[in-house]
Amino acid sequence: MYAILTLCFAHIKKRKIQNVLLAILIMLSTLLLATSVTIIMNTSNIFEKTHHDSNGAHQILTMGKDIHNPITVNNWWQEQQGVTASNLIPYRNLSGFTANGVKTPNLYLFMMNTPKTPFTIDRLLFSEGENQDYPTEGTIWIPTSMASTSNISLGDAIEFNSGENAFTLSVSGIVVDLPYGGPFTTNARIWMNDSDYHKQFDTMIGSEQYMMALRFDDYQQSANYWIEFEKFLNGPYLESKMEYESIAGFYLIINKIIGFLMVAFGIAMLFISLFIIGFSISDAILTNYKTIGVIKSLGLTSRKISATYVLQFGLLSVFSIIPGLIASTVLSRVIIESSLSYLKAGKHLTIIQDFRIIILLAVIILVIVILTAFIYSNKARHVEPVQAIKYGMSEFANNKVNRRLNNSNRLSNLVNLPVQLQVGIKNITKNMKSSILIIVLTAITSAILVFSAVILNSFISIKQNTSAMGYDSSHVVVTVINDATFSKQQFEQFLRSDERIKNHAWLDQFTGVLPNGPNQPLNINVDTIEGSFDDAGYETFSGRNPVNKNEIAIGINVAKALHKNIGDIVEVYIEGKQHHLIVTGIYQSIANMSYSARISADVIKVYNSTYSASKQSMINLVDETLSAQIVDDLNNNFNSSVSAVTQQTLLDGVFKQVVAVFILPLSVIVILFIAVTFIIIFSVSRINVRKESGTYGIFKSIGMTSNTIRWSITSGILFLSALGTIFGIFIGVKVIPVALQSILLEYGLLELPLAINWPVSIGLSLLSILAACLGCWLSTRIIAKTSPRILLVD
């Protein structure tokens, strides 16, 4: 045992820098894997905990008085055993608000008449502000999503416009409001005092709407309740229904993507670390081949020699894994706090650190490292003392090296390259394993760099891909905020008389019910257009948009749920009226997770001949650069009845938070892999330089300068890393986005539309080449510092 320990510590001392760098690699692998496990584990847990603490709803029903009687519906659910139903909460709809001098027109508001809290179910959790029974007069509670995206704090005044009058209320509470407070939301519930509610809306034109929440003792049994409920209604429920999956979905999507990337790249880094361990052991055995032969001739067994390497890398792993685990607790908290900030009730989220899983992960990494060291160290078994002492390697390896040198010499003479390039080529061909490692490593690093640039640019430049994301691609969007003062005829006359305007369309939304759902009827959003979906910029990935009164296009998740394809007939209820429509197209949309459909206004006119869409107008311009000018003109001319904004403003309001959340984890991964590229190539180049020290001593003795030799070696690394970067660009643009499809499909995207900024992407990918070349250049300093005589002796 004493001999094993002596040899083990001798190996560690002899290669301090190499062992330190390898320890850093194992630590970084542990950091990424432990962080990804914590993120994945907490993403669902934090949401579930918040849902439990708020006694959260499984379904949210919204109703008017035109189709179902809200009181009758609420009474039926109140009588059911195994279901908790909230009381009806009245509300009125508004569009947009102004806070801190900034107008936000793209948030659609439910102005709630707050009942006394705590609610039976779907309780509000206070993130900021005093937890009171209800807002005091003149104040409101707003969701965390609205506060975060619009930078609203306690005490800020918010101005609302009902169309008939404007009024201002101050924020007294910021609350976690699960159903309408997640990422990507375009809705928000504003909780008002009863006196303020009646004061502002009693005289407002239009009817009051109602909302109620349902929580099932066993959510899996919800379909059975709905079968009985529809028997009671003598038909399907024909108004809006939000499911638990929709409530949870967008809270989880960002962390699912982040977790997936960190797991994938963490595993890649671990495999690279294992390769380096194997490479280091193989190199150590070859370098000390003669010494091992002598030791074996003196009686030390192959098993004990192998044990020295297993012990060496086992100790390195133990001292590397522990700081990796500690660092992961900090990094995972920062990422989770950022990505799940909407669920923060208080100063911090309650992040669960399951030490059993973390310790299990640490043990798995340690076992894999030890197993790798054991497998590679078994090469010491094949050391024959006589051959080791005679050749410094096996006789077979000696012959193989001689043949390779002869072949590389013939290749160099044939090509007749400059001496510097010949040295670089020999360095590549003589060390094929390390050459392949450099290509793979720079490919992975550049793939991460390119993918990070592409994914961030795709969200920053979302305007380029709005159609592929399921949105329209119009230039200006106008929302009618006051039906009483709005004249559609005057508005359209203004549009037709303006030569800057190319075309326009009117969009309306209805609740559609597909009674033949897999378990229960599907309640979906139905976009209804007066005009042309194509002109408005809506795309389908299969078929076409509907044009006629007997046609419909459906989202991919609707098509999947109903097993429908182009040409099939679907039965759908809209405004309580039954329609049988032909599927003309299938599209993807992140909005509503592709549980939606598109129809022309002619479908509504089948039962309502006087129908005219007048909720939202999408306008295209001859010159898009005039969008801001058109917005100002429309707001000035129709200030009391409409709110006009550019499409870019709407998109920024939805996606700017996504960009902010992605920046941190992607930056961490990118920095780690650039550091890993530098570390590994430094280590590999140092090993290769030590193996070829005699050759470089000869080069120096015949007149080659140290810098010439170093540049020659670096030129080979430059070629390999450039080749790896080319592969990496392809992987980052094509392969990684495809790997994300399994996650994205759940959220209504068959494929992730990308906006590629090639100059930026290629420029970032060159960082992997820079890290590789810098690592090689610094590792060859030993050539400059050492005299030719010592190199020859080494």
Side-chain angles (χ1 to χ4, degrees):
M1 187 65 188
Y2 178 76
I4 294 173
L5 290 172
T6 302
L7 287 172
C8 172
F9 288 113
H11 290 321
I12 293 174
K13 289 179 181 178
K14 187 176 181 181
R15 300 183 175 185
K16 294 186 185 71
I17 296 177
Q18 185 179 325
N19 287 321
V20 168
L21 295 179
L22 187 57
I24 292 172
L25 280 180
I26 297 171
M27 185 196 72
L28 295 179
S29 302
T30 306
L31 170 63
L32 279 183
L33 289 171
T35 300
S36 63
V37 167
T38 304
I39 289 173
I40 292 170
M41 182 173 60
N42 276 276
T43 296
S44 295
N45 287 345
I46 289 175
F47 177 82
E48 289 292 343
K49 182 180 184 304
T50 306
H51 192 261
H52 175 268
D53 292 346
S54 64
N55 205 29
H58 291 126
Q59 294 171 341
I60 301 288
L61 311 185
T62 55
M63 296 165 281
K65 296 180 179 178
D66 299 330
I67 300 175
H68 300 299
N69 186 316
I71 297 175
T72 302
V73 169
N74 186 259
N75 287 340
W76 189 89
W77 283 105
Q78 293 281 6
E79 294 169 358
Q80 305 309 304
Q81 298 295 319
V83 184
T84 305
S86 71
N87 294 324
L88 289 173
I89 306 177
Y91 71 91
R92 300 296 290 264
N93 288 115
L94 292 182
S95 176
F97 63 91
T98 301
N100 300 317
V102 178
K103 190 173 184 180
T104 305
N106 59 313
L107 198 63
Y108 302 100
L109 309 174
F110 301 109
M111 310 300 292
M112 313 296 295
N113 185 3
T114 310
K116 186 176 181 178
T117 59
F119 307 156
T120 309
I121 60 173
D122 201 23
R123 298 170 188 150
L124 302 175
L125 304 178
F126 277 76
S127 178
E128 296 181 51
E130 185 181 349
N131 189 347
Q132 299 175 314
D133 289 341
Y134 43 78
T136 57
E137 193 169 347
T139 70
I140 51 173
W141 299 336
I142 65 171
T144 50
S145 55
M146 178 176 165
S148 178
T149 54
S150 300
N151 297 315
I152 299 173
S153 304
L154 289 179
D156 287 353
I158 301 180
E159 181 182 305
F160 303 94
N161 193 333
S162 66
E164 299 166 18
N165 63 293
F167 57 95
T168 301
L169 300 169
S170 63
V171 177
S172 63
I174 298 173
V175 296
V176 176
D177 189 356
L178 279 182
Y180 295 98
F184 299 103
T185 186
T186 55
N187 299 309
R189 292 197 287 195
I190 308 298
W191 300 89
M192 302 178 65
N193 177 274
D194 177 71
S195 298
D196 293 325
Y197 180 86
H198 288 292
K199 178 181 177 182
Q200 302 300 335
F201 299 124
D202 278 354
T203 59
M204 182 178 172
I205 296 173
S207 59
E208 196 169 50
Q209 306 288 307
Y210 294 90
M211 190 177 294
M212 62 175 287
L214 300 175
R215 182 180 175 88
F216 299 89
D217 292 349
D218 181 3
Y219 182 50
Q220 302 301 320
Q221 299 298 317
S222 62
N224 296 329
Y225 285 98
W226 277 89
I227 292 171
E228 296 300 316
F229 180 49
E230 288 174 353
K231 287 180 181 178
F232 169 75
L233 294 176
N234 295 316
Y237 172 76
L238 300 175
E239 298 200 58
S240 175
K241 178 176 67 169
M242 179 188 292
E243 298 283 356
Y244 172 78
E245 291 76 15
S246 297
I247 297 172
F250 289 118
Y251 285 102
L252 309 182
I253 181 173
I254 295 176
N255 273 4
K256 281 186 177 181
I257 294 174
I258 292 172
F260 169 84
L261 293 175
M262 297 193 84
V263 166
F265 297 144
I267 291 172
M269 189 179 290
L270 181 60
F271 274 111
I272 292 169
S273 302
L274 298 178
F275 187 94
I276 291 296
I277 290 171
F279 188 82
S280 299
I281 294 173
S282 298
D283 171 68
I285 292 173
L286 288 174
T287 303
N288 300 303
Y289 208 90
K290 186 176 290 187
T291 304
I292 293 171
V294 173
I295 292 173
K296 290 186 77 171
S297 67
L298 294 175
L300 196 66
T301 64
S302 297
R303 182 176 295 178
K304 290 182 178 179
I305 293 171
S306 176
T308 63
Y309 295 107
V310 173
L311 180 60
Q312 174 189 347
F313 290 101
L315 289 173
L316 285 176
S317 298
V318 170
F319 287 106
S320 305
I321 290 170
I322 293 172
L325 295 178
I326 294 171
S328 75
T329 61
V330 178
L331 179 59
S332 58
R333 172 168 287 280
V334 171
I335 293 173
I336 292 169
E337 289 271 3
S338 172
S339 58
L340 294 178
S341 59
Y342 295 166
L343 295 176
K344 191 186 297 182
K347 292 184 178 180
H348 296 289
L349 290 170
T350 303
I351 296 176
I352 301 169
Q353 297 285 354
D354 193 331
F355 291 104
R356 292 172 300 176
I357 295 177
I358 298 299
I359 291 172
L360 177 62
L361 176 66
V363 170
I364 290 172
I365 294 173
L366 180 60
V367 168
I368 290 173
V369 170
I370 291 174
L371 188 61
T372 302
F374 175 76
I375 292 170
Y376 278 92
S377 65
N378 269 338
K379 291 182 178 181
R381 292 175 179 270
H382 305 295
V383 175
E384 297 291 340
V386 174
Q387 293 181 13
I389 295 169
K390 183 178 181 180
Y391 299 113
M393 63 184 71
S394 68
E395 186 174 358
F396 175 78
N398 183 64
N399 294 333
K400 188 176 179 181
V401 167
N402 290 331
R403 285 196 304 270
R404 187 183 296 168
L405 284 172
N406 290 333
N407 290 335
S408 65
N409 285 334
R410 283 196 291 270
L411 177 64
S412 299
N413 293 331
L414 177 65
V415 178
N416 197 27
L417 292 172
V419 174
Q420 292 89 337
L421 289 180
Q422 289 185 38
V423 173
I425 290 173
K426 283 183 179 180
N427 190 53
I428 292 173
T429 56
K430 195 173 181 181
N431 302 287
M432 290 303 295
K433 286 185 178 179
S434 60
S435 297
I436 293 170
L437 173 63
I438 291 167
I439 292 173
V440 171
L441 179 60
T442 50
I444 294 172
T445 303
S446 57
I448 295 168
L449 286 162
V450 169
F451 175 75
S452 300
V454 168
I455 195 74
L456 288 175
N457 187 64
S458 296
F459 285 117
I460 292 169
S461 308
I462 192 66
K463 185 71 170 67
Q464 298 177 30
N465 290 310
T466 51
S467 299
M469 294 285 280
Y471 298 99
D472 67 282
S473 60
S474 56
H475 301 146
V476 174
V477 177
V478 178
T479 302
V480 177
I481 59 174
N482 188 352
D483 292 325
T485 60
F486 177 71
S487 169
K488 184 177 179 180
Q489 182 179 359
Q490 290 180 6
F491 186 82
E492 291 201 319
Q493 185 178 351
F494 178 89
L495 298 183
R496 284 191 294 267
S497 64
D498 196 322
E499 296 180 352
R500 297 170 296 178
I501 294 173
K502 182 179 180 181
N503 57 55
H504 73 281
W506 289 93
L507 185 74
D508 211 346
Q509 282 194 337
F510 293 92
T511 296
V513 179
L514 302 163
N516 300 317
N519 298 314
Q520 54 184 285
L522 284 179
N523 293 67
I524 62 173
N525 283 342
V526 180
D527 292 327
T528 305
I529 204 163
E530 192 174 273
S532 168
F533 278 109
D534 293 331
D535 287 346
Y538 287 96
E539 288 183 358
T540 59
F541 70 79
S542 178
R544 61 171 176 82
N545 282 308
V547 176
N548 302 310
K549 63 183 179 182
N550 63 338
E551 296 177 343
I552 189 171
I554 57 178
I556 56 173
N557 279 338
V558 174
K560 182 180 176 183
L562 300 180
H563 306 289
K564 296 293 183 180
N565 212 326
I566 294 170
D568 292 341
I569 305 295
V570 297
E571 179 187 3
V572 57
Y573 287 84
I574 304 170
E575 287 201 308
K577 307 297 183 182
Q578 186 184 48
H579 300 266
H580 289 87
L581 305 175
I582 302 170
V583 177
T584 62
I586 298 172
Y587 61 90
Q588 65 173 19
S589 174
I590 195 170
N592 304 305
M593 300 166 68
S594 282
Y595 284 104
S596 59
R598 299 171 185 165
I599 59 173
S600 72
D602 291 336
V603 176
I604 305 299
K605 290 179 182 178
V606 168
Y607 291 104
N608 184 0
S609 58
T610 61
Y611 169 74
S612 179
S614 59
K615 294 295 183 185
Q616 194 175 75
S617 180
M618 295 168 294
I619 301 170
N620 288 313
L621 309 179
V622 176
D623 181 2
E624 186 180 357
T625 60
L626 300 176
S627 296
Q629 190 181 108
I630 293 289
V631 165
D632 290 339
D633 290 347
L634 290 169
N635 284 327
N636 290 333
N637 282 277
F638 300 94
N639 185 47
S640 63
S641 56
V642 305
S643 173
V645 291
T646 64
Q647 177 74 331
Q648 186 66 56
T649 301
L650 296 179
L651 295 170
D652 286 345
V654 175
F655 289 99
K656 67 181 181 181
Q657 283 295 113
V658 178
V659 174
V661 169
F662 268 120
I663 284 175
L664 176 63
L666 289 178
S667 298
V668 168
I669 293 172
V670 163
I671 292 169
L672 290 183
F673 266 88
I674 290 175
V676 164
T677 300
F678 173 84
I679 290 169
I680 290 177
I681 293 177
F682 180 95
S683 181
V684 168
S685 298
R686 196 177 183 89
I687 291 171
N688 291 338
V689 167
R690 187 168 52 248
K691 284 165 61 179
E692 299 298 320
S693 60
T695 303
Y696 300 141
I698 293 171
F699 289 163
K700 289 185 75 172
S701 67
I702 62 175
M704 285 185 72
T705 65
S706 298
N707 281 344
T708 301
I709 298 171
R710 295 176 71 188
W711 280 119
S712 299
I713 299 170
T714 305
S715 67
I717 300 298
L718 174 63
F719 171 76
L720 294 174
S721 59
L723 186 61
T725 297
I726 292 171
F727 289 127
I729 291 171
F730 174 79
I731 294 169
V733 172
K734 296 294 184 183
V735 178
I736 298 177
V738 171
L740 285 172
Q741 279 188 358
S742 59
I743 296 175
L744 296 173
L745 186 58
E746 182 183 346
Y747 295 92
L749 293 179
L750 187 64
E751 61 181 31
L752 182 65
L754 302 175
I756 304 173
N757 186 325
W758 284 110
V760 171
S761 299
I762 293 173
L764 281 175
S765 71
L766 296 180
L767 290 176
S768 63
I769 299 177
L770 179 63
C773 292
L774 184 61
C776 177
W777 177 258
L778 293 177
S779 72
T780 57
R781 285 185 302 175
I782 189 173
I783 296 173
K785 291 180 177 180
T786 313
S787 69
R789 185 177 61 82
I790 295 175
L791 284 171
L792 284 168
V793 171
D794 289 342

